Amino acid sequence: MLDLFNLAGRTALVTGANTGLGQGIALALAAAGADVVAAGRSPADDTATQVRALGRRFLDVRADLSSTAPVRDVVAAAVGLNGRLDIVVNNAGIIRRADSLDVDEADWDAVIDTNLKSVFFLSQAAARHMARHGGGKIVNIASLLSFQGGVRVPAYAASKSAIAGITRALANEWAAQGINVNAIAPGYFDTNNTAALRVDPVREPAILARIPAGRWGQPADLAGAAVFLASRASDYVHGVVLPVDGGWLAR
Ligand code: NAD
């Protein structure tokens, strides 16, 4: 049974794997046997050290995913590591907080371009390879704001709601080619993305009080969901947005 989750011999591309949730996911996939390609705007040295300590190969690709310009080169570099690309985790993302009355167009575009447009076109580039090589696994990082509106983050809510939409749309089109497209919706996790909330004396206790598990998530809390959706164990799972949220949405 455990062999269903074994990623030995697989190559996984994880965007934004230098820190936070992307790093946690990269380490989980490596622990399950995958070699890892990190793509992001910042060096992923710490992730490299930890992946190699697990005995896996690691490649760091510099790419600014605020535009679609690098996506083909990123996929080509990932394929170049082992001659194949089996898993893509679209994790890189940004958040800009402002009252909706004050949001400016540059911030709106930055969030939508990074969190949505690049995810679509990176998935497209990867799926063209996967479709020719027997299939693969695409895992998008969605959010609670794929289901809810959030507060003072309208572009982020729009981008993550659209991630749920393209997860289902791409799953419908690519399932027949052996490509599983699914998403993980993390709850409130302790990363740079939520730093402003965690020091807010009003928001932090309000958020914590609403989480049935009674704590913020840590990147390692995504390990099980990530390995499941990247492995043969999820071969008949398509278009799902899986919350990993300490029970937030159940409340
Ligand atoms: P983070 O800020 O620590 O990590 C974001 C990652 O994205 C970093 O590696 C960063 O370098 C990368 N990135 C940002 N802009 C980029 C660009 N233009 N090009 C390339 N890489 C870029 O935050 P995180 O919480 O680890 O966020 C990871 C993902 O999880 C994001 O998509 C975020 O929206 C999502 N998410 C986070 C939470 C949470 O509570 N932390 C909850 C739900 C969803």
Side-chain angles (χ1 to χ4, degrees), residues 15-22 39-42 63-66 90-94 114-115 141-144 156 160 185-194 216:
T15 66
N18 61 304
T19 185
L21 303 186
R41 60 184 176 183
S42 311
D64 180 353
L65 295 168
S66 62
N90 285 304
N91 166 78
I94 58 172
T114 305
N115 293 10
I141 302 305
S143 167
L144 295 178
Y156 186 83
K160 294 299 187 178
Y188 284 89
F189 276 67
D190 177 1
T191 70
N192 299 328
N193 175 291
T194 56
W216 288 63

Side-chain angles (χ1 to χ4, degrees), residues 63-87:
D64 180 353
L65 295 168
S66 62
S67 93
T68 58
V71 299
R72 287 184 187 195
D73 287 348
V74 167
V75 169
V79 171
L81 182 66
N82 289 320
R84 56 186 292 156
L85 177 59
D86 307 285
I87 300 157

Side-chain angles (χ1 to χ4, degrees), residues 103-114:
V103 169
D104 70 35
E105 195 170 340
D107 278 343
W108 175 275
D109 286 346
V111 171
I112 298 293
D113 287 351
T114 305

Side-chain angles (χ1 to χ4, degrees), residues 11-15 29 35-39 61 74-75 78 85-90 122 126:
T11 303
L13 168 64
V14 183
T15 66
L29 300 181
D35 292 333
V36 174
V37 180
V61 179
V74 167
V75 169
L85 177 59
D86 307 285
I87 300 157
V88 173
V89 181
N90 285 304
L122 185 63

Side-chain angles (χ1 to χ4, degrees), residues 84-246:
R84 56 186 292 156
L85 177 59
D86 307 285
I87 300 157
V88 173
V89 181
N90 285 304
N91 166 78
I94 58 172
I95 192 163
R96 300 270 168 89
R97 298 177 196 283
D99 290 345
S100 291
L101 289 174
D102 300 327
V103 169
D104 70 35
E105 195 170 340
D107 278 343
W108 175 275
D109 286 346
V111 171
I112 298 293
D113 287 351
T114 305
N115 293 10
L116 178 60
K117 188 174 177 183
S118 289
V119 169
F120 176 84
F121 285 100
L122 185 63
S123 300
Q124 181 193 63
R128 287 174 175 162
H129 168 86
M130 290 171 173
R132 290 196 305 271
H133 293 84
K137 303 277 180 176
I138 296 175
V139 181
N140 297 324
I141 302 305
S143 167
L144 295 178
L145 302 197
S146 302
F147 305 98
Q148 302 179 312
V151 181
R152 301 183 70 246
V153 287
Y156 186 83
S159 71
K160 294 299 187 178
S161 296
I163 284 294
I166 64 167
T167 296
R168 292 186 283 264
L170 299 180
N172 293 340
E173 287 199 44
W174 297 344
Q177 295 171 72
I179 301 170
N180 299 77
V181 186
N182 292 292
I184 296 170
Y188 284 89
F189 276 67
D190 177 1
T191 70
N192 299 328
N193 175 291
T194 56
L197 292 179
R198 284 179 289 106
V199 297
D200 184 319
V202 176
R203 295 292 313 280
E204 197 283 334
I207 289 167
L208 186 60
R210 219 209 106 133
I211 302 173
R215 64 176 178 85
W216 288 63
Q218 296 298 325
D221 288 314
L222 294 185
V227 170
F228 169 59
L229 292 176
S231 69
R232 282 199 299 124
S234 60
D235 272 357
Y236 201 59
V237 179
H238 294 278
V240 158
V241 183
L242 174 60
V244 180
D245 65 354

